């Protein structure tokens, strides 16, 4: 009788039950798919990344677009310029909605709640909710918790610092002018 067939033989559990794998992570869906989750830092990082891409695109468009006073007098020029600007806004808005859907998924809520971001005043509350509400710590109906990469953490902190600076600047410069 071999050792493994012996009635009193103790079999060892699989390796993963004995010692968890340190660098093991659950594969996440690509950011362009509607399924999956985004934590707060993922959401902030990807939002600022696309915000910077949008900002650079607008600056390049402004620099590379030949403008003169004669050009500004033509309706066709202004129509084309603003049409292209609206196209850029739409291109920026699609990832923003996608990231918001994934952020609601992180809270184990339907992505349809991102429609609240289209309602004035309500969008401020919904945006703050997406930024400050913690996500589920464990798996939920939308998948496993997404790990935040180092570069995402760095970009998220840049976003937090910039937003704080802008808010403080607004509080100390614009508000006193409004109430003086």
């Amino acid at each position: 009788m071999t050792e493994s067939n012996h009635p009193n033989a103790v079999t060892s559990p699989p390796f993963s039950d004995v010692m968890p794998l340190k660098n093991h992570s659950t594969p996440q869906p690509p950011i362009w798919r509607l399924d999956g989750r985004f934590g707060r830092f993922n959401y902030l990082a990807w939002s600022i990344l696309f915000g910077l891409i949008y900002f650079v695109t607008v600056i390049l468009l402004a620099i590379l677009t030949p403008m003169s006073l004669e050009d500004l007098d033509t309706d066709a020029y202004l129509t084309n310029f603003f049409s292209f600007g609206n196209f850029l806004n739409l291109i920026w808005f699609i990832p923003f909605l996608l990231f918001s859907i994934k952020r609601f998924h992180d809270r184990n809520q339907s992505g349809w709640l991102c429609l609240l971001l289209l309602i004035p005043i309500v969008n401020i509350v919904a945006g703050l909710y997406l930024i400050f509400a913690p996500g589920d710590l464990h798996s939920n109906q939308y998948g496993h918790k997404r790990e935040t990469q180092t570069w995402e953490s760095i970009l998220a902190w840049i976003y937090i610092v910039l937003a704080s600076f802008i808010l403080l600047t607004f509080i100390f410069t614009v508000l006193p002018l409004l109430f003086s």
Side-chain angles (χ1 to χ4, degrees), residues 8-59:
N8 295 332
V10 177
T11 58
S12 62
F15 179 77
S16 62
D17 291 343
V18 176
M19 183 184 305
L21 299 174
K22 295 270 185 205
N23 294 328
H24 182 265
S25 64
T26 308
Q28 293 293 320
I31 64 163
W32 301 115
R33 289 188 24 199
L34 288 174
D35 56 339
R37 297 168 49 179
F38 260 19
R40 289 179 281 190
F41 272 32
N42 303 121
Y43 178 72
L44 291 174
W46 284 96
S47 294
I48 195 170
L49 179 65
F50 273 85
L52 288 172
I53 291 170
Y54 177 78
F55 179 73
V56 168
T57 305
V58 169
I59 295 297

Side-chain angles (χ1 to χ4, degrees), residues 120-136:
I121 310 237
V122 174
N123 61 357
I124 295 170
V125 175
L128 291 172
Y129 175 77
L130 290 176
I131 292 171
F132 291 111
D136 287 348

Side-chain angles (χ1 to χ4, degrees), residues 37 103-110 135-136 140-142:
R37 297 168 49 179
R103 183 70 187 109
F104 277 114
H105 286 176
D106 193 48
R107 299 276 308 138
N108 203 23
Q109 296 169 329
S110 171
D136 287 348
N140 64 23
Q141 67 178 341
Y142 297 103

Side-chain angles (χ1 to χ4, degrees), residues 129-180:
Y129 175 77
L130 290 176
I131 292 171
F132 291 111
D136 287 348
L137 295 177
H138 304 291
S139 297
N140 64 23
Q141 67 178 341
Y142 297 103
H144 300 288
K145 180 179 166 98
R146 186 176 193 277
E147 292 183 33
T148 304
Q149 303 296 320
T150 305
W151 70 268
E152 289 174 325
S153 293
I154 292 169
L155 276 181
W157 279 110
I158 290 171
Y159 189 105
I160 292 167
V161 169
L162 280 175
S164 300
F165 177 74
I166 291 169
L167 182 64
L168 288 173
T169 302
F170 178 76
I171 288 171
F172 290 113
T173 58
V174 177
L175 286 182
L177 293 175
L178 292 175
F179 295 111
S180 61

Side-chain angles (χ1 to χ4, degrees), residues 31-34 93-102:
I31 64 163
W32 301 115
R33 289 188 24 199
L34 288 174
F93 188 68
I94 291 170
F96 172 73
L97 273 181
L98 177 70
F99 302 154
S100 299
I101 290 169
K102 287 176 169 272

